[in-house]
């Protein structure tokens, strides 16, 4: 069992930055990959970024490459998503997720076993 709790969402103007955090508890954090997804109203939940168990491998959706950075600290059981140069189209509920079956990040939402409750990010124009 893994419990994930996101924080750090909020309202920001276009061009601004936010840093999301995801605190994990339960199974050994350092043994599994983590991902961030987002879901805007009326849209499917989509992959944003993923990170391997060690942090040595990362993957990003094309829409956020160069603007978002995923990182983790296994000693703190935490993964972060640094979001810079935010755009109105980044508005969504952001979820962190844990994939216990692999140590490398997957882009597929159905590969992930546990999800947080989500945190709202709203970018105003």
């Amino acid at each position: 069992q893994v419990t994930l709790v996101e924080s750090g969402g909020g309202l920001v103007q276009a061009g601004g930055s936010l840093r999301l955090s995801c605190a994990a508890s339960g199974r050994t954090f350092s043994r599994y990959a983590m991902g961030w997804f987002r879901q805007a109203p009326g849209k499917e939940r989509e992959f944003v970024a993923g990170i391997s168990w060690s942090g040595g491998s990362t993957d990003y959706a094309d829409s956020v490459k160069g603007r978002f950075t995923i990182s983790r600290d296994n000693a703190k059981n935490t993964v972060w998503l640094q979001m810079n140069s935010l755009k109105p189209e980044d508005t969504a509920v952001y979820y962190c997720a844990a994939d216990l079956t692999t140590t490398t990040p997957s882009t597929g939402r159905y590969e992930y076993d546990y999800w947080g409750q989500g945190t709202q990010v709203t970018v105003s124009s």
Side-chain angles (χ1 to χ4, degrees), residues 68-111:
F68 290 11
T69 302
I70 188 171
S71 60
R72 68 188 293 164
D73 185 335
N74 289 341
K76 296 182 179 179
N77 287 358
T78 302
V79 62
W80 296 276
L81 184 68
Q82 177 67 44
M83 306 186 294
N84 298 329
S85 302
L86 282 161
K87 305 174 181 179
E89 51 263 44
D90 294 317
T91 295
V93 177
Y94 283 71
Y95 300 89
C96 71
D99 183 353
L100 271 61
T101 62
T102 182
T103 56
T104 56
S106 170
T107 62
R109 60 177 288 191
Y110 298 107
E111 301 296 322

Side-chain angles (χ1 to χ4, degrees), residues 15-38:
S17 298
L18 281 174
R19 190 190 196 202
L20 305 183
S21 299
C22 174
S25 61
R27 300 273 293 271
T28 305
F29 181 70
S30 61
R31 294 185 180 177
Y32 48 87
M34 295 291 295
W36 284 97
F37 288 74
R38 67 187 181 187

